[in-house]
Amino acid sequence: MGEGPKVSMPARRKARKRALDVLYEADMRDQPPVEVLAGYLQRIERPLPDHIDYTTSLVEGVAAHLDRIDELIASYAEGWTIDRMPVVDRNLARIAIHELLYVDEIDDPVAISEAVELAKQMSTDDSPRFLNGILGRIAEFATR
């Protein structure tokens, strides 16, 4: 499942950023992520960048496993309900948890650090620490 090792780390980061854009929009509009992805793919410039396949696999993977992913977030987000989490954080967590559970070629520390890096760029000052904590707990307990 997912892309093989031929996708470089910077390309995967771009793919995650695009997946976040799609999942954020789907979340805000309360629309299915795969529908939002289809519209997103129509809007971006051609030729499509190489990393778009990984973006697609992330969005489709999160959408396919959303109930399980959100159940894990709810279980491990100490003191937070999923609805109270910032939208960016909720969707970064979804991407990382998908990678932790379903993308074998991504090592757990990489999935976590990538989510934390994107949170530093795009969310609140508290978000990197929050995501690092929840994702670390999920990696430790839920992926074994």
Side-chain angles (χ1 to χ4, degrees):
M1 183 172 224
E3 278 293 305
K6 68 182 185 291
V7 181
S8 69
M9 185 102 149
R12 283 191 203 272
R13 183 167 292 174
K14 288 177 189 164
R16 287 181 190 97
K17 167 76 174 68
R18 286 183 187 264
L20 176 63
D21 291 345
V22 170
L23 292 169
Y24 182 94
E25 183 179 335
D27 204 344
M28 294 300 288
R29 292 184 175 188
D30 198 22
Q31 291 181 321
V34 177
E35 281 181 23
V36 174
L37 176 66
Y40 183 86
L41 292 175
Q42 288 175 342
R43 292 192 306 266
I44 61 176
E45 280 185 39
R46 302 300 191 257
L48 293 175
D50 291 342
H51 64 263
I52 211 71
D53 288 345
Y54 193 61
T55 297
T56 299
S57 75
L58 288 173
V59 172
E60 290 174 347
V62 168
H65 302 107
L66 190 59
D67 289 345
R68 172 75 178 129
I69 290 169
D70 281 359
E71 186 180 289
L72 286 168
I73 294 171
S75 297
Y76 288 91
E78 296 168 351
W80 285 87
T81 62
I82 197 159
D83 294 335
R84 278 189 54 229
M85 289 172 70
V87 179
V88 170
D89 296 2
R90 178 168 60 226
N91 287 291
L92 282 173
R94 287 170 171 160
I95 291 166
I97 293 165
H98 170 70
E99 288 185 320
L100 290 171
L101 297 180
Y102 304 108
V103 186
D104 292 340
E105 66 269 14
I106 303 287
D107 293 332
D108 290 359
V110 172
I112 294 168
S113 68
E114 287 292 307
V116 168
E117 281 304 309
L118 283 169
K120 285 178 185 171
Q121 296 170 28
M122 307 184 66
S123 198
T124 70
D125 289 346
D126 296 330
S127 297
R129 194 178 44 143
F130 169 76
L131 282 169
N132 193 51
I134 185 175
L135 295 172
R137 289 190 297 276
I138 289 170
E140 188 174 347
F141 298 110
T143 63
R144 304 296 160 237

